[in-house]
């Protein structure tokens, strides 16, 4: 069952947070929700979750014009747990709001906490946990009722590398089992690992909706990886260059169709040195920077 | 409905987890007992000075009987009677209350007893001494009976419990200070409970909003379910408070609070309606609060607003049947504390009671409806990181 987002518009005062946004989000894959700050990601998530109402447009799922809230699982960006309550109590409360039976909720809570390596904290008060462990509990809370639509906002916040891998595996498993999985993140390197497709937003508009592999091959042809002592400002001033971003000792340079590689090299060589030059395989980060135009 | 109950029960559980709630639940009864038992322990039931009573429209025989009784029964400091009758002669007109008011206001006498055929009206200003009133009633009854056998005393406008003239006095002994505290205590507890519940709710809600718990809740239930769940949770937490306090009062202080035995349901009705009215106001406003600082600011302003009806209670105790007192019983924001006083002092009429309750119920429903709208509108603007 596809999640249909149709012509969503939402304004806050004079600011347009979403502008005629449409997309078909498919199950079975992890869909990344990318965009700079203020792009409209959170507004989109809140509308899908039914937290706020759009000015126009609709969200359809399973032939209905709104999503039944029991089918939703959500991890917000901030710690959204009751600090004065125990971990298990938090999970059981959220599960009860999703109409899950208490016995089933306990069983599922145990499974999820074990999977995430947080079972030992079941009887601990949330306020005593580290940020990473709180995040694990939140993730468990979002999955406890086996929702059809899972939305995670910055799920890796506070997680160590091992926990991060566990969470990615969990994400992939759930997606493979036919769930709709949407993950909003600014961590583009991580997004590369788990996204099958992505929606790129900027200023309330959908800039790009693509399968990750296809997008990467499309963008790879127009990017060079160069090691040089030339400054970024000089590189971006050259003809045909759309932008450049520094990544460690290298510069990732994206260019348009008017770009002449020989002219580019000779111009740099007149004033600076080029140490290495190769074709760059585009990453989400490159696509992001190119599309959002922040190079 | 299921979600409303779940949210309400969770709110209650959250309250139990807070130390401030436990402190208030346990400390308040202790303070209550201390106030009633210890601060008034050394105060004489006879007050601090002899009281004077001006008597209108009675015969010389009646006055003589009254004077004899007051000399023989109960003296102040074993020297003089604690009740000194003064003959005020004949009142120019039976309903010339302004003359009585003037005498009392000038402090010429503490009480005025007006005889009109076979009925008495007793007047006094603020802080009557119930034990003295019962004595006045008894003396008046006996003095009258001496000359008119078989005539029953029917006192009117006596604001505390009256004496059964057939069986003699059955008035519980309540001294001046204790009486003052007990009358004021219920409206004070009302305001205190509303302020505590409202403040803790607003602050907790601001935290939920900032911490995004609210988003999880709203992705699981509707805004209306959240609103009603919150208000029900708050009411439950307050009822637990009151239940514990009621048990303590019933066990240790029943003799001091006559309403505990006589009108607990009426008292509870106005307490709960008033609580709902004010908490709806708090919850409605919480929808537009985005930070804890704002929460603190708004809740302190609302708390100040709550003191206003409390100020009026002084007037209600002094003149429960005045026009202002009646008007205050019909204004939704003043009627809960005012009615709590009137119920305790049994100075309400049935009409007042019914009209006041109906107005309060309607106001509650309207305010809750308005608060839901405010709350919902406020939730359209959740914080963004």
């Amino acid at each position: 069952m596809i999640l249909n987002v149709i012509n969503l518009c939402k304004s806050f005062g004079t600011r347009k947070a979403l502008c005629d946004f449409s997309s078909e989000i498919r199950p079975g894959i992890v869909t990344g929700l990318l965009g700079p700050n203020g792009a409209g990601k959170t507004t989109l998530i809140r509308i899908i979750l039914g937290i706020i109402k759009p000015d126009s447009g609709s969200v359809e799922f399973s032939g209905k014009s709104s999503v039944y809230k029991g089918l939703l699982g959500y991890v917000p960006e901030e710690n959204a747990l009751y600090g004065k309550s125990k971990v298990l109590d938090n999970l059981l409360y959220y599960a009860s709001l999703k109409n899950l039976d208490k016995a089933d909720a306990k069983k599922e809570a145990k499974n999820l906490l074990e999977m995430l390596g947080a079972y030992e904290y079941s009887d601990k008060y949330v306020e005593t946990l580290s940020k990473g462990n709180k995040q694990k509990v939140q993730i468990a809370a979002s999955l406890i009722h086996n929702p059809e639509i899972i939305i995670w906002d910055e799920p890796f916040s506070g997680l160590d590398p091992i926990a991060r891998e566990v969470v990615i595996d969990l994400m992939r498993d759930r997606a493979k089992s036919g769930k709709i999985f949407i993950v909003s993140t600014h961590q583009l390197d991580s997004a590369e690992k788990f996204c099958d497709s992505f929606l790129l937003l900027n200023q309330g508009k959908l800039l790009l909706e693509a399968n990750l592999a296809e997008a990467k091959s499309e963008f790879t042809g127009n990017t060079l990886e160069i090691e040089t002592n030339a400054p970024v400002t000089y590189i971006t001033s050259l003809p045909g260059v759309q932008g450049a971003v520094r990544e460690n000792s290298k510069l990732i340079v994206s260019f348009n169709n008017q770009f002449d590689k020989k002219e580019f090299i000779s111009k740099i060589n007149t004033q600076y040195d080029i140490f290495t030059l190769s074709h760059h395989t585009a990453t989400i980060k490159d696509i992001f920077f190119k599309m959002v135009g922040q190079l | 409905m299921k979600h409303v109950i779940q949210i309400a029960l969770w709110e209650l559980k959250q309250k139990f987890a807070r130390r401030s709630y436990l402190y208030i639940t346990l400390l308040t009864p202790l303070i209550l007992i201390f106030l009633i038992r210890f601060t008034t322990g050394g105060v004489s039931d006879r007050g601090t000075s002899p009281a004077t009573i001006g008597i209108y429209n009675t015969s010389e025989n009646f006055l003589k009987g009254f004077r004899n009784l007051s000399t023989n029964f109960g003296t102040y400091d074993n020297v003089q009677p604690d009740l000194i009758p003064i003959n005020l002669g004949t009142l120019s007109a039976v309903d010339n209350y302004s003359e009585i008011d003037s005498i009392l206001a000038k402090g010429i006498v503490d009480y005025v007893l007006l005889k009109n055929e076979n009925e008495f009206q007793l007047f006094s200003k603020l802080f009557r001494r119930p034990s003295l009133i019962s004595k006045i009633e008894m003396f008046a009854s006996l003095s009258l009976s001496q000359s008119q056998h078989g005539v029953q005393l029917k006192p009117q406008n006596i604001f505390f419990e009256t004496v059964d003239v057939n069986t003699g006095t059955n008035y519980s002994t309540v001294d001046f200070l204790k009486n003052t505290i007990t009358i004021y205590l219920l409206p004070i507890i009302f305001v205190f409970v509303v302020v505590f519940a409202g403040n803790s709710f607003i602050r907790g809600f601001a935290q939920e909003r900032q911490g995004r718990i609210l988003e999880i809740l709203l992705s699981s239930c509707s805004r209306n379910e959240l609103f009603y769940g919150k208000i029900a949770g708050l009411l439950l937490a307050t009822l637990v408070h009151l239940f514990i306090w009621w048990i303590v009062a019933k066990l240790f202080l029943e003799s001091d609070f006559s309403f505990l035995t006589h009108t607990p349901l009426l008292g509870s009705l106005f307490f709960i309606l008033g609580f709902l009215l004010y908490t709806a106001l708090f919850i409605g406003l919480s929808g537009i609060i985005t930070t804890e600082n704002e929460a603190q600011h708004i809740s302190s302003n609302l708390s100040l607003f709550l003191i206003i009806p409390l100020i009026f209670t002084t007037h209600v105790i002094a003149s429960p049947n005045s026009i202002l007192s009646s008007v205050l019983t019909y204004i939704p924001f003043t009627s809960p504390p005012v009615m709590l006083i009137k119920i305790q002092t049994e100075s309400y009429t049935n009409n007042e009671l019914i009209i006041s309750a109906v107005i309060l119920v309607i106001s509650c429903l309207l305010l809750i409806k308005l608060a839901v709208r405010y709350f919902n509108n406020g939730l359209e603007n959740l914080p963004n990181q």
Side-chain angles (χ1 to χ4, degrees):
Chain A
M1 281 175 286
I2 292 171
L3 181 69
N4 263 322
V5 182
I6 306 160
N7 302 327
L8 285 186
C9 289
K10 178 74 184 175
S11 298
F12 296 103
T14 52
R15 190 176 69 83
K16 282 189 173 177
L18 271 184
C19 190
D20 204 22
F21 181 97
S22 294
S23 177
E24 284 188 354
I25 304 171
R26 287 180 296 123
I29 57 168
V30 178
T31 304
L33 192 57
L34 312 175
N37 294 329
K41 303 187 295 293
T42 307
T43 304
L44 176 63
I45 289 173
R46 284 175 181 164
I47 291 173
I48 294 173
L49 292 169
I51 296 172
I52 56 172
K53 291 167 193 154
D55 297 337
S56 62
S58 62
V59 177
E60 292 179 3
F61 181 70
S62 185
K64 288 179 184 164
S65 58
S66 63
V67 182
Y68 170 58
K69 293 194 172 186
L71 300 177
L72 294 163
Y74 174 50
V75 172
E77 192 178 347
E78 297 288 303
N79 165 38
L81 299 166
Y82 290 89
K84 300 268 177 215
S85 296
K86 290 178 179 176
V87 166
L88 191 61
D89 289 340
N90 267 278
L91 291 176
L92 294 183
Y93 175 52
Y94 286 152
S96 74
L97 290 177
K98 299 291 185 183
N99 301 320
L100 192 64
D101 171 58
K102 195 174 178 182
D104 292 340
K106 268 188 178 174
K107 199 173 146 191
E108 197 53 33
K110 184 175 183 279
N111 285 343
L112 285 164
L113 289 176
E114 271 178 352
M115 211 179 286
L116 290 159
Y119 183 63
E120 61 190 289
Y121 307 116
S122 299
D123 284 328
K124 294 259 190 292
Y125 286 95
V126 168
E127 64 187 2
T128 64
L129 301 187
S130 67
K131 193 182 177 191
N133 284 326
K134 281 178 190 164
Q135 190 67 1
K136 289 176 189 173
V137 178
Q138 286 206 128
I139 287 170
S142 73
L143 299 175
I144 195 165
H145 56 295
N146 195 22
E148 290 301 315
I149 301 168
I150 302 155
I151 303 175
W152 287 357
D153 195 356
E154 294 295 349
F156 305 111
S157 169
L159 294 181
D160 61 52
I162 299 167
R164 202 176 278 218
E165 291 305 315
V166 172
V167 167
I168 289 174
D169 285 347
L170 194 57
M171 198 187 286
R172 290 206 160 280
D173 281 350
R174 293 285 166 143
K176 270 182 196 166
S177 67
K179 312 293 181 196
I180 289 175
F181 218 119
I182 302 168
V183 180
S184 169
T185 183
H186 286 120
Q187 295 184 24
L188 299 176
D189 296 334
S190 297
E192 188 98 31
K193 289 183 186 171
F194 60 77
C195 281
D196 300 302
S197 71
F198 63 91
L199 304 169
L200 181 57
L201 286 84
N202 192 23
Q203 295 179 342
K205 290 178 184 162
L206 181 62
L207 289 185
L208 183 67
E209 180 176 13
N211 174 289
L212 180 62
E214 288 170 11
K216 279 170 86 168
S217 73
E218 190 185 319
F219 278 80
T220 293
N222 290 342
T223 319
L224 284 175
E225 206 172 284
I226 180 168
E227 245 183 306
T228 174
N229 54 0
V232 176
T233 46
Y234 177 75
I235 300 288
T236 51
S237 68
L238 296 175
V241 173
Q242 273 192 331
V245 63
R246 189 168 287 284
E247 204 173 87
N248 302 321
S249 59
K250 291 173 183 169
L251 277 177
I252 312 298
V253 182
S254 59
F255 49 86
N256 58 27
N257 294 333
Q258 280 79 53
F259 179 74
D260 184 335
K261 193 175 166 186
K262 280 183 188 166
E263 189 191 346
F264 174 73
I265 293 167
S266 66
K267 284 214 168 176
I268 294 175
N269 277 334
T270 54
Q271 294 182 50
Y272 303 99
D273 300 315
I274 294 176
F275 308 116
T276 62
L277 181 74
S278 61
H279 269 285
H280 171 73
T281 307
T283 61
I284 284 192
K285 202 174 189 176
D286 302 323
I287 299 167
F288 182 95
F289 282 124
K290 186 159 187 186
M291 292 303 295
V292 175
Q294 291 192 349
L295 278 173
Chain B
M1 190 62 191
K2 195 179 165 193
H3 283 159
V4 173
I5 296 167
Q6 285 164 342
I7 293 168
L9 291 175
W10 180 259
E11 287 291 316
L12 182 64
K13 208 173 169 183
Q14 286 296 300
K15 287 274 177 292
F16 288 157
R18 288 186 184 274
R19 274 188 203 151
S20 56
Y21 182 84
L22 294 177
Y23 288 154
I24 281 170
T25 307
L26 301 173
L27 281 179
T28 307
L30 294 177
I31 294 169
L32 203 73
I33 292 169
F34 176 79
L35 274 175
I36 303 295
R37 287 276 171 263
F38 297 101
T39 59
T40 61
V43 179
S44 164
D45 181 44
R46 296 191 179 112
T48 52
S49 62
T52 50
I53 178 164
I55 301 175
Y56 274 116
N57 300 353
T58 54
S59 63
E60 208 37 60
N61 275 349
F62 177 91
L63 275 166
K64 198 186 280 179
F66 197 102
R67 200 167 286 131
N68 283 341
L69 286 166
S70 61
T71 312
N72 295 332
F73 294 97
T75 54
Y76 177 74
D77 284 349
N78 296 321
V79 178
Q80 53 185 327
D82 57 3
L83 198 58
I84 301 168
I86 296 165
N87 189 3
L88 294 177
T90 308
L91 191 65
S92 53
V94 175
D95 54 355
N96 189 359
Y97 296 135
S98 58
E99 186 179 324
I100 296 170
D101 268 355
S102 159
I103 288 171
L104 288 168
K106 286 174 186 166
I108 297 168
V109 289
D110 298 314
Y111 300 88
V112 168
L113 188 68
L114 172 64
K115 182 176 173 288
N116 180 21
E117 294 185 352
N118 291 328
E119 290 184 356
F120 285 95
Q121 285 178 291
L122 182 66
F123 301 87
S124 67
K125 284 289 176 188
L126 183 60
F127 300 145
R128 285 161 292 276
R129 289 156 53 185
S131 59
L132 213 51
I133 288 170
S134 67
K135 199 174 267 183
I136 293 168
E137 288 168 6
M138 189 175 68
F139 291 173
S141 168
L142 289 171
S143 305
L144 196 66
S145 298
Q146 280 172 358
S147 53
Q148 298 177 3
H149 291 286
V151 176
Q152 286 206 346
L153 179 71
K154 291 180 186 170
Q156 290 181 351
N157 289 351
I158 294 175
F159 310 122
F160 296 93
E161 276 206 55
T162 55
V163 169
D164 181 346
V165 290
N166 296 316
T167 56
T169 180
N170 63 352
Y171 209 96
S172 63
T173 305
V174 186
D175 65 51
F176 169 79
L177 183 56
K178 202 180 280 183
N179 180 46
T180 310
I181 291 172
T182 50
I183 291 171
Y184 267 121
L185 209 56
L186 207 54
I188 287 172
I189 286 179
F190 169 77
V191 169
F192 173 72
V193 162
V194 171
V195 167
F196 175 73
N199 280 352
S200 70
F201 176 82
I202 279 194
R203 278 178 48 215
F205 195 74
Q207 282 169 359
E208 280 187 1
R209 195 177 178 134
Q210 273 185 305
R212 299 209 168 180
I213 287 176
L214 208 53
E215 291 184 33
I216 302 245
L217 298 178
L218 289 173
S219 70
S220 308
C221 65
S222 70
R223 293 176 191 183
N224 281 0
E225 284 172 332
L226 183 66
F227 178 90
Y228 289 113
K230 293 270 179 195
I231 205 166
L234 213 53
L235 185 61
L236 272 181
T238 304
L239 288 178
V240 170
H241 262 156
L242 295 179
F243 181 68
I244 292 169
W245 298 347
W246 185 80
I247 289 198
V248 172
K250 188 89 181 156
L251 287 176
F252 301 104
L253 304 167
E254 188 170 6
S255 60
D256 306 302
F257 293 99
S258 61
F259 76 95
L260 283 172
T261 323
H262 298 114
T263 49
L265 284 178
L266 275 184
S268 307
L269 174 77
F270 279 92
F271 200 107
I272 289 170
L273 284 175
F275 179 83
L276 283 174
L277 187 84
Y278 276 105
T279 46
L281 197 67
F282 272 96
I283 295 180
L285 283 174
S286 69
I288 55 167
I289 292 167
T290 50
T291 63
E292 269 195 85
N293 276 346
E294 265 179 34
Q296 223 158 11
H297 185 69
I298 286 189
S299 59
S300 47
N301 280 340
L302 276 176
S303 306
L304 280 176
F305 176 66
L306 264 162
I307 292 171
I308 297 170
L310 209 55
I311 293 167
F312 281 116
T313 54
T314 314
H315 172 81
V316 178
I317 291 173
S319 311
N321 295 324
S322 70
I323 293 170
L324 179 60
S325 296
S326 289
V327 170
L328 290 172
T329 52
Y330 303 136
I331 298 171
F333 286 103
T334 51
S335 77
V338 167
M339 280 310 289
L340 286 174
I341 285 185
K342 286 195 158 206
I343 287 166
Q344 284 185 91
T345 55
E346 294 179 25
S347 57
Y348 59 88
T349 62
N350 285 340
N351 281 348
E352 253 180 5
L353 189 78
I354 293 164
I355 294 170
S356 173
V358 169
I359 290 175
L360 204 51
V361 169
I362 293 170
S363 309
C364 266
L365 293 174
L366 288 176
L367 195 71
I368 286 174
K369 207 173 172 186
L370 196 71
V372 169
R373 189 187 276 185
Y374 232 78
F375 183 76
N376 284 346
N377 288 344
L379 293 182
E380 278 294 313
N381 296 306
L382 288 165
N384 211 340
Q385 291 306 116

